[in-house]
């Protein structure tokens, strides 16, 4: 970090860098004092009672991100010319670093607090790009040729409603694309069915506008066939936007082909704050567009220097972590997922719901019981003397056992970030996503928590030597 600050030629940046080094030294001294207190709670007469003992240790990198907000307030008081130069430098640096880290060549960046806000602005850009008279005639130009936004059935809940509310579009402008039912993952978008929907919309006089694909679905972390979707979007002139936790793996040396294809999309939204364990760091949407006038109208760019300061916390954090520190955090989370998957394969009666073990840092699994007298391959098919109601009772009992198992693990290892969720096809499952929860821990502590999850899991299952599940 010191070397990067010494290279700053701009006097204002150099002065800020000097103050930054002093602030970091203060943070380090404070951290040492905290360690010396050996975990004692902070008690002060100046702190109101409800706040005593509630100060969270967020680490030096977390303090760095929070420091960015304080510096932003200070920078905003500079004279207009210095403010303009400084904010432009911060925005351009951060954009360049992120594009290089995530293999997104010649991209632009929009920083935003609400994670879905970037996609809403991208939709505005797509509308302005496809409807040339939209600026003049407004929604009248949409009447004769209604735009269509395609969302996967596995998209995060409420996303379609949010987009319609932000864009002022009616719900019929949304098209829900089903997932595979015969071949491939049941959480992947059905590409063949999507093409059929696009052709039907064109025949009805509608305009296929934008497709939202997943590089890691909200539920189980599955990645759509982004390469094939990109070809389809190019064929029909559709804007392709990608989102999902698996985009973090673009920073690694090895990336699966399905995720790597996202680097060629028109835009993508990422959340580096949770990935790196950094509080108050904005989400970022990377996009490619060569018309600055349209990006300005869509709200993706701004002439206000204060808007550019949104990138400051991330600008500071990236310099503090460095490229190696950034990549190591993502790599470590992926390794935790792979280790857990390998261990789960050795546990009887555990089903893992991951279609590509190398590309997804999310592990979703469930305990299952085979029906009496059934073959494991056909465990979901009713057997003789087993009525449909009997199958339903079997499913209900299995779901109840998984909920109990999840609650037990969350109580025993609360820092694991393990969640219990209900999936329509599979039932109650357990989700382990260290990329969204483990970045703030030390590597030693994280690995210890992983080992604890694994050991607790193997001893809590029925038939093990540990505690038995309730009947």
């Amino acid at each position: 970090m010191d070397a990067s600050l010494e290279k700053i030629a701009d006097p204002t940046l150099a002065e800020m860098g000097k103050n930054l080094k002093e602030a970091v030294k203060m943070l380090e001294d404070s951290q040492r004092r905290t360690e010396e207190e050996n975990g004692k709670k902070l008690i002060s007469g100046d702190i109101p009672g409800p706040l005593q003992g509630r100060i969270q240790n967020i680490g030096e990198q977390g303090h760095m991100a929070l420091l960015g907000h304080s510096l932003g307030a200070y920078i905003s008081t500079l004279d207009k010319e210095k403010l303009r130069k400084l904010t432009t430098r911060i925005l351009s640096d951060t954009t360049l670093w992120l594009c290089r880290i995530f293999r997104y060549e010649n991209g632009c960046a929009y920083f935003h607090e609400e994670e879905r806000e970037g996609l809403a602005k991208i939709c505005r850009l797509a509308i302005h790009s496809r409807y040339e008279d939209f600026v003049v005639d407004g929604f009248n130009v949409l009447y004769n040729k209604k735009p269509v936004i395609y969302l996967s059935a596995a998209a995060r809940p409420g996303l379609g409603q949010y987009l319609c509310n932000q864009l002022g579009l009616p719900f019929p402008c949304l098209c829900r694309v089903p997932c595979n039912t015969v071949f491939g993952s049941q959480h992947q978008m059905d590409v063949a069915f999507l093409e059929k929907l696009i052709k039907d919309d064109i025949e009805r006089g509608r305009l296929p506008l934008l497709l939202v694909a997943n590089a890691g679905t909200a539920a189980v972390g599955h990645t759509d066939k982004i390469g094939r979707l990109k070809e389809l979007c190019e064929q029909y002139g559709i804007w392709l936007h990608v989102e999902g936790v698996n985009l973090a793996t673009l920073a690694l040396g090895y990336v699966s082909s399905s995720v790597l294809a996202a680097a060629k999309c028109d835009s993508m939204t990422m959340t580096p704050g949770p990935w790196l364990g950094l509080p108050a760091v904005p989400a970022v949407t990377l996009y490619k567009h060569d018309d600055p006038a349209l990006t300005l109208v869509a709200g993706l760019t701004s002439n206000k220097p204060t808007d550019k300061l949104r990138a400051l916390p991330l600008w500071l954090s990236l310099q503090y972590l460095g490229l190696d520190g950034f990549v190591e955090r993502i790599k470590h989370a992926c390794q935790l997922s792979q280790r857990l998957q390998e261990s789960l394969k050795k546990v009887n009666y555990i089903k893992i719901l991951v279609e590509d073990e190398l590309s997804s840092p999310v592990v979703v699994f469930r305990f299952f019981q085979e029906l009496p007298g059934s073959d494991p391959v056909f465990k979901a098919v009713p057997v003789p003397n087993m009525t449909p109601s009997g199958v339903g009772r079997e499913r209900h009992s299995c779901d109840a056992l998984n909920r109990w198992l999840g609650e037990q693990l969350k109580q025993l290892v609360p820092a694991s970030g393990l969640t219990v969720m209900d999936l329509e096809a599979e039932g109650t499952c357990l989700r382990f996503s260290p990329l969204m929860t483990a970045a703030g821990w030390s590597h030693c502590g994280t690995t210890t928590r992983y080992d604890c999850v694994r050991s607790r899991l193997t001893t809590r299952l029925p038939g093990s030597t540990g505690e038995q599940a309730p009947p």
Side-chain angles (χ1 to χ4, degrees), residues 8-21:
I8 297 176
D10 186 279
T12 305
L13 282 174
E15 180 182 356
M16 189 177 72
K18 180 181 178 182
N19 295 334
L20 182 58
K21 286 196 290 185

Side-chain angles (χ1 to χ4, degrees), residues 98-339:
L98 290 174
C99 288
R100 288 183 176 177
I101 290 173
F102 293 104
R103 307 166 186 248
Y104 200 75
E105 298 180 359
N106 303 319
C108 303
Y110 173 66
F111 299 89
H112 44 98
E113 301 300 330
E114 161 62 53
E115 185 178 341
R116 301 170 296 182
E117 182 185 348
L119 176 56
K121 295 294 176 66
I122 289 295
C123 289
R124 292 185 189 277
L125 177 60
I127 291 175
H128 283 285
S129 300
R130 297 298 301 274
Y131 295 89
E132 296 180 357
D133 298 329
F134 184 75
V135 176
V136 178
D137 299 330
F139 286 96
N140 290 330
V141 300
L142 307 181
Y143 180 77
N144 294 327
K145 201 161 190 173
K146 296 181 176 62
V148 183
I149 299 174
Y150 300 91
L151 298 175
S152 170
R156 47 183 163 165
L159 180 59
Q161 181 178 0
Y162 172 84
L163 292 177
C164 286
N165 291 340
Q166 294 295 313
L167 301 171
L169 296 177
F171 288 136
C173 288
L174 294 177
C175 181
R176 185 174 181 268
V177 183
C179 295
N180 296 320
T181 55
V182 180
F183 300 103
S185 164
Q186 295 182 353
H187 301 273
Q188 274 185 336
M189 193 182 301
D190 190 331
V191 180
F193 200 92
L194 170 63
E195 186 170 16
K196 180 179 181 300
L197 291 173
I198 293 173
K199 290 180 179 179
D200 290 344
D201 287 328
I202 294 176
E203 290 179 359
R204 295 175 183 176
R206 299 179 177 179
L207 177 65
L209 181 69
L210 183 141
L211 168 66
V212 182
N214 291 299
T217 55
V220 298
H222 287 195
T223 299
D224 290 325
K225 298 176 182 177
I226 299 177
R228 179 70 183 95
L229 293 176
K230 177 60 177 175
E231 295 174 359
L232 200 63
C233 288
E234 290 179 344
Q235 179 181 350
Y236 292 99
I238 302 173
W239 185 287
L240 176 61
H241 180 85
V242 181
E243 61 181 24
V245 68
N246 292 356
L247 289 175
T249 61
L250 286 171
L252 303 180
Y254 170 80
V255 188
S256 68
S257 58
S258 58
V259 177
L260 186 60
K264 303 297 182 182
C265 66
D266 298 299
S267 59
M268 64 171 73
T269 294
M270 300 177 294
T271 55
W275 298 348
L276 303 175
L278 301 174
V281 167
V284 57
T285 294
L286 301 179
Y287 64 95
K288 296 177 181 178
H289 202 271
D290 54 3
D291 191 336
L294 290 184
T295 58
L296 182 63
V297 172
L300 288 165
T301 56
S302 173
N303 293 325
K304 298 179 180 179
T306 52
D307 289 340
K308 300 177 182 179
L309 283 175
R310 292 176 185 169
L312 181 57
L314 192 54
W315 183 81
L316 293 172
S317 300
L318 288 175
Q319 293 189 75
Y320 181 83
L321 290 172
L323 177 61
D324 293 340
F326 187 100
V327 173
E328 182 60 27
R329 287 176 178 272
I330 296 174
K331 181 180 178 181
H332 182 63
C334 294
Q335 289 175 341
L336 287 177
S337 295
Q338 292 173 8
R339 287 184 60 188

Side-chain angles (χ1 to χ4, degrees), residues 89-103:
R89 171 70 179 274
I90 292 171
L91 180 62
S92 61
D93 282 353
T94 312
T95 300
L96 178 62
W97 295 338
L98 290 174
C99 288
R100 288 183 176 177
I101 290 173
F102 293 104
R103 307 166 186 248

Side-chain angles (χ1 to χ4, degrees), residues 4-46:
S4 63
L5 291 174
E6 289 173 357
K7 296 179 181 178
I8 297 176
D10 186 279
T12 305
L13 282 174
E15 180 182 356
M16 189 177 72
K18 180 181 178 182
N19 295 334
L20 182 58
K21 286 196 290 185
E22 294 177 356
V24 171
K25 186 177 183 302
M26 293 173 61
L27 291 176
E28 293 173 348
D29 293 341
S30 175
Q31 184 73 16
R32 279 193 292 270
R33 287 195 299 270
T34 302
E35 294 175 353
E36 291 172 359
E37 291 176 0
N38 195 21
K40 293 181 180 179
K41 293 183 178 180
L42 177 64
I43 301 177
S44 172
D46 296 332

